Amino acid sequence: MSPKRKLLVIDDDPDFVDGIKSILVAADYEVDVAYNPKDGFRALQSKIYDLLLLDIMMGRGAEGVMIARKLRKDPKLRDMPVLIITGIREQIAFLFPGGAVHPHFVAVDELVEKPVEPKLLLERVSALLKTAEDRRAQTA
Amino acid sequence: MEGPAKVLIIDDEEVVLDSCTQILKGGDYEIATALEGAAGLALVQSIHPDLVFVDLKMPGISGIEVLQKIHETDPAIVTIVITGYATVASAVEAMKQGAYDFLPKPFTPDEFRLITQRGLDKRRLVLETMALRQEKEMLREHFAAIVSHELKSPLASVQQNLYAFAQETESVLTDSHKARLERMKSSIDTLLKLIHTWLRAYSTDVEGIQQNFKPVSLASVIAQAVESTQPHAIRKDIDITTSIEDGLAPVMGDEGTLVESLVNILGNAVKYSRLGSKVVVKAEAEPGAAVISIADAGVGIAKEDLPFIFEGFHVGKPGPGAEKGSGLGLAITRRIVEAHGGSITAQSELGKGSTFVIRLPTVEAGGRDLPAPAADRPRESQQGGSE
């Protein structure tokens, strides 16, 4: 069997993190957690993750967006798929009125809204992992 | 009002200025005086007084004109007129110009002190009202952010944990446990939806949607709205029939919010209909406009409620299944329709049903009436819809 996929969750709401972590662990993923952008970025520098689950609204405003921008600039991290999790889809919708709500911070990303049903969460995670893998296979 | 109250007295009699200054001396006032209107108005600009006494009969600019100018400068400044010949007519005229009160000459020191106090009390109230109004506006603006963070986040976390919990305990819970868990999830879901509705009502950026207007087919809007309402209608055995006039011109609009507004009306029609009844949706052309009507044979709206249904937080009487609304659906709908340059009206008879009519301006053949931003874009992207 292939080694466990490593996921990182960056979200400042520990309760919410508990709720998704246990779903992901039950689905046999290895899950690390960072509760603020700083720790999150440190974790990303120190270990290679297969996928990042990122909360957009952390701290005072959209600190998650800053992480996404940093990722985009980093050649090592640029290709990591990101599942953006947000409690504020409507606010994002106001930033891009009328458009499909999908900011595309990095090459492979997808957006889900809090709370996210287990089935949807797992579907999105595995779809993103597969898309990222296909991209790697193409460029290799 | 911080610090001493600023009182300005404009009167052409030096003796009046002197005695008034004398009377207020020792109190917590900053007093300024002017012998005629122009000088007085200059002081209004430079010291921003809280209260201004204006003599009605002065050489140069008339007292009435001074009053007008003061109120143009700052309507929150309280003015009191001093009138030498206390005729009712001149006092009434001054009050019409916005003066708060009048003081007939001659007056005693106590009378002057008292009216000054009353004027400053009024000023405090005016300032407080303004501050409250501003605060209310700020609250409204920040409501979306406050609600989403303070209410939505914890609810979302609870829901997330219920999802996880339900999954983890799947094999050990009895059916009764599971049923209760489902009810919890669905209650939280209802709350989250309610918060969404509030967010929509308070933070929908109506001007924002106008930037993305494209020609929209009403047939498609109606079809989507009916589809989204259908499950509820089927549960109540309600038949939704639609008839759309052939060749109906498209409207310039935002498809998503137009569907939302129709879903609100259709949803209400179904909600307040009796089991097994009918809801009729019609779309017809009028010169330059499309008219969509949604008629139900439900509980209807009381005459006294009808004028208020499009205002926020008006909740109608419960439907036949004791269904209640958030009281915001129609308010949102009206905002959306008005953002499209349209109008919405309702007719209803208690016990017989309601008919809602939405009128939207249509795009004339040849696209002559396309607003500029859309006309600038290539035809293709107008039709393409969102990706």
Side-chain angles (χ1 to χ4, degrees), chain B residues 335-351:
Chain B
R335 287 185 59 183
I336 294 172
V337 169
E338 287 177 354
H340 284 81
S343 65
I344 178 165
T345 54
Q347 288 178 333
S348 189
E349 203 174 326
L350 207 55

Side-chain angles (χ1 to χ4, degrees), chain B residues 130-201:
Chain B
M130 277 168 57
L132 283 174
R133 203 167 283 154
Q134 216 171 7
E135 196 176 327
K136 183 188 143 204
E137 198 49 36
M138 234 169 67
L139 269 178
R140 197 188 65 79
E141 276 171 27
H142 293 290
F143 192 77
I146 295 166
V147 167
S148 70
H149 258 88
E150 306 304 321
L151 289 179
K152 228 187 133 186
S153 310
L155 270 179
S157 296
V158 170
Q159 187 75 318
Q160 195 63 53
N161 281 283
L162 283 179
Y163 287 154
F165 185 76
Q167 215 184 32
E168 287 155 29
T169 53
E170 173 87 59
S171 57
V172 290
L173 292 188
T174 66
D175 283 350
S176 143
H177 289 144
K178 284 179 189 165
R180 272 181 279 167
L181 209 52
E182 277 313 307
R183 283 215 299 281
M184 283 192 252
K185 283 199 277 186
S186 100
S187 297
I188 292 177
D189 203 44
T190 308
L191 278 176
L192 284 168
K193 279 193 184 128
L194 186 66
I195 293 171
H196 267 276
T197 314
W198 285 346
L199 284 169
R200 294 287 291 146

Side-chain angles (χ1 to χ4, degrees), chain A residues 13 15-16 18-20 22-23 26 57 59 87-91 94 97-100 113-118 121-122, chain B residues 144-145 148-149 152-153 156-157 159-161 163-164 167-168 192 196 199-200 203-205 208-209 212 254 386-387:
Chain A
D13 180 352
D15 292 331
F16 181 79
D18 284 351
I20 52 170
S22 81
I23 293 168
M57 293 303 276
I88 49 133
R89 180 204 272 278
E90 55 283 347
Q91 266 144 335
F94 293 140
E113 201 178 349
K114 288 181 181 183
V116 47
E117 289 196 56
L121 175 69
L122 296 174
Chain B
S148 70
H149 258 88
K152 228 187 133 186
S153 310
S157 296
Q159 187 75 318
Q160 195 63 53
N161 281 283
Y163 287 154
Q167 215 184 32
E168 287 155 29
L192 284 168
H196 267 276
L199 284 169
R200 294 287 291 146
S203 58
T204 300
D205 175 8
I209 63 170
N212 277 41
D254 172 62
S386 59
E387 53 287 332

Side-chain angles (χ1 to χ4, degrees), chain A residues 11-35:
Chain A
D11 190 320
D12 64 351
D13 180 352
D15 292 331
F16 181 79
V17 170
D18 284 351
I20 52 170
K21 187 179 171 180
S22 81
I23 293 168
L24 294 166
V25 169
D28 219 26
Y29 291 106
E30 190 181 304
V31 182
D32 285 349
V33 175
Y35 294 110

Side-chain angles (χ1 to χ4, degrees), chain A residues 56-84:
Chain A
I56 281 295
M57 293 303 276
M58 278 187 289
R60 308 186 148 271
E63 286 182 24
V65 176
M66 279 154 60
I67 295 200
R69 290 209 183 105
K70 273 189 176 176
L71 293 183
R72 188 198 203 120
K73 284 190 198 135
D74 191 320
K76 284 204 306 293
L77 297 173
R78 198 182 284 158
D79 292 321
M80 178 180 56
V82 179
L83 181 63
I84 298 156

Side-chain angles (χ1 to χ4, degrees), chain B residues 314-331:
Chain B
H314 185 88
V315 181
K317 301 228 165 52
E323 296 170 277
K324 273 205 300 189
S326 65
L328 286 173
L330 288 178

Side-chain angles (χ1 to χ4, degrees), chain B residues 272-314:
Chain B
Y272 295 110
S273 278
R274 295 186 181 80
L275 295 178
S277 64
K278 264 192 165 67
V279 171
V280 181
V281 184
K282 271 192 206 152
E284 289 161 338
E286 261 182 15
V291 181
I292 307 168
S293 65
I294 296 120
D296 67 64
V299 294
I301 302 160
K303 223 185 219 114
E304 63 267 29
D305 286 339
L306 210 47
F308 305 109
I309 56 169
F310 293 112
E311 284 166 26
F313 292 110
H314 185 88

